[in-house]
């Protein structure tokens, strides 16, 4: 029997079999098309299944999701912005399969808790910082889902000291400051000439002053947001992954300084922020764990 994991991320579709012998080289990916998004996604799943009888599929999708209805509406997939029934579509493709859906942050929290940097930790915060920011919360060893399935969305936590307009319609959200796309545009307004988040991270690693300033600003916002979330949730561990987390001291030094400055309540003396060990596969791995849950 075949078990599949599917990730619908802001920049890609990704799919993989869930098995002990699967590694990063076995992950199939595709860019998000302008049109016919489900056809592209279906082809990716069919190629990954390789003709096997699919027993279970776990889906991690960028917010927003309606987990109960099985509907997703990621802004980057133009055709799905008013809602797409991904669970029904995958069920139609694999009629014998059980299909599970969760927002990418919940899947990230599942992965960090079970196979990542939060193994053995009952309460933690998991954050992915790439083009956009996703987050997941683990409380008592369980990933928090929330009323609609979008719990843990730290990207839309307002950050003290910032007023940048956010795509959600609010201002000062963490994603509007520290998300890779936002940081890249901020750097370009300074005169930085790059065109991608990967280039921004590479420039910051190389010491480019404009890239360092943009990434440092992101680190400052992340440190403040993590301290706020830690105080709210009474956690002492945050795991940070994604492309932006690879920027090195330009991100991590201001992040650590701000987290320490803002985490002043008496029950947060040992707040730690550590790098993820899962690379860019955290949400996909969590989708695999979600799929496996139907077999337990």
């Amino acid at each position: 029997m075949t078990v599949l994991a599917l990730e619908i991320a802001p920049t890609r579709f990704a799919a993989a079999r869930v098995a002990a012998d699967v590694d990063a080289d076995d992950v199939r990916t595709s860019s998000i098309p302008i049109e016919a998004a489900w056809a592209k996604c279906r082809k990716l799943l069919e190629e990954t299944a390789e003709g096997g009888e699919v027993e279970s599929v776990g889906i991690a999708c960028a917010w927003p999701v309606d987990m109960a209805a099985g509907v997703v509406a990621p802004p980057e997939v133009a055709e799905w912005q008013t809602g797409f029934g991904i669970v029904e579509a995958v069920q139609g493709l694999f009629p014998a399969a059980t299909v599970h859906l969760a927002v990418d942050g919940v899947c990230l929290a599942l992965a960090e808790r079970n196979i990542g940097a939060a193994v053995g930790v009952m309460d933690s915060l998991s954050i992915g910082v790439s083009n956009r920011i996703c987050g997941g919360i683990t409380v008592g060893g369980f990933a928090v889902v929330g009323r609609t399935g979008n719990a843990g969305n730290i990207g839309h936590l307002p950050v003290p000291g910032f007023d940048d307009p956010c795509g959600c319609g609010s201002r000062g959200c963490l994603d509007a400051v520290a998300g890779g796309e936002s940081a890249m545009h901020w750097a370009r307004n300074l005169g930085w000439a790059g065109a991608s988040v990967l280039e921004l991270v590479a420039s910051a690693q190389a010491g480019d002053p404009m890239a360092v300033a943009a990434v440092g600003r992101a680190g400052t916002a992340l440190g403040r947001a993590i301290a706020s979330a830690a105080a709210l949730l009474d956690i002492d561990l945050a795991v940070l992954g994604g492309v932006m987390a690879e920027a090195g001291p330009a991100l991590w030094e201001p992040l650590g300084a701000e987290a320490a400055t803002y985490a002043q309540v008496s029950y947060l003396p040992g707040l730690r922020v550590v790098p993820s060990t899962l690379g860019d596969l955290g949400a996909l791995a969590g989708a695999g764990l979600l799929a496996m849950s139907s077999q337990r």
Side-chain angles (χ1 to χ4, degrees):
M1 301 294 280
T2 301
V3 178
L4 301 180
L6 171 67
E7 180 187 12
I8 300 164
T11 59
R12 68 174 190 177
F13 295 147
R17 289 185 304 110
V18 180
D21 60 345
V22 172
D23 58 29
D25 293 335
D26 298 309
V27 175
R28 287 179 167 88
T29 64
S30 69
S31 58
I32 296 175
I34 296 174
E35 57 185 20
W38 168 241
K40 191 79 170 278
C41 193
R42 181 181 61 212
K43 181 180 179 182
L44 188 66
L45 285 168
E46 289 173 336
E47 291 174 348
T48 305
E50 297 178 338
E53 184 177 354
V54 177
E55 179 182 4
S56 182
V57 182
I59 305 170
C61 185
W63 78 278
V65 305
D66 183 331
M67 196 170 72
V71 173
V72 300
E76 290 78 10
V77 185
E79 297 174 322
W80 296 357
Q81 287 183 12
T82 57
F84 177 70
I86 187 69
V87 170
E88 182 180 2
V90 173
Q91 191 79 72
L93 179 61
F94 304 120
T98 302
V99 182
H100 299 272
L101 167 69
V103 75
D104 51 3
V106 168
C107 289
L108 184 61
L110 281 172
E112 294 292 357
R113 171 72 175 86
N114 286 276
I115 58 174
V119 171
V121 178
M122 299 299 285
D123 306 286
S124 63
L125 174 65
S126 301
I127 306 172
V129 189
S130 293
N131 287 53
R132 283 168 59 188
I133 292 177
C134 70
I137 304 161
T138 300
V139 174
F142 295 93
V144 178
V145 173
R147 178 179 56 87
T148 62
N150 294 284
N153 193 358
I154 194 172
H156 293 278
L157 182 73
V159 182
F162 295 96
D163 193 45
D164 304 50
C166 183
C168 75
S170 187
R171 303 186 69 88
C173 293
L174 179 62
D175 194 53
V177 182
E181 289 279 353
S182 299
M184 180 185 69
H185 290 307
W186 193 86
R188 293 186 71 176
N189 287 336
L190 291 182
W192 178 72
S196 73
V197 177
L198 283 172
E199 288 181 61
L200 179 68
V201 169
S203 293
Q205 290 171 336
D208 178 277
M210 289 172 286
V212 168
V215 169
R217 186 172 184 263
T220 294
L222 281 162
R224 293 178 185 179
I226 289 169
S228 295
L232 176 66
L233 299 169
D234 190 13
I235 61 169
D236 65 356
L237 176 67
V239 182
L240 186 70
V243 174
M244 290 285 283
E246 302 296 324
L251 180 95
W252 285 92
E253 288 181 0
L255 188 160
E258 293 298 306
T261 297
Y262 278 78
Q264 293 296 319
V265 291
S266 61
Y267 53 87
L268 290 180
L271 175 61
R272 296 173 294 142
V273 186
V274 302
S276 174
T277 60
L278 300 178
D280 65 351
L281 299 179
L284 185 63
L289 290 166
L290 199 64
M292 293 295 290
S293 67
S294 67
Q295 298 183 316
R296 298 191 180 102

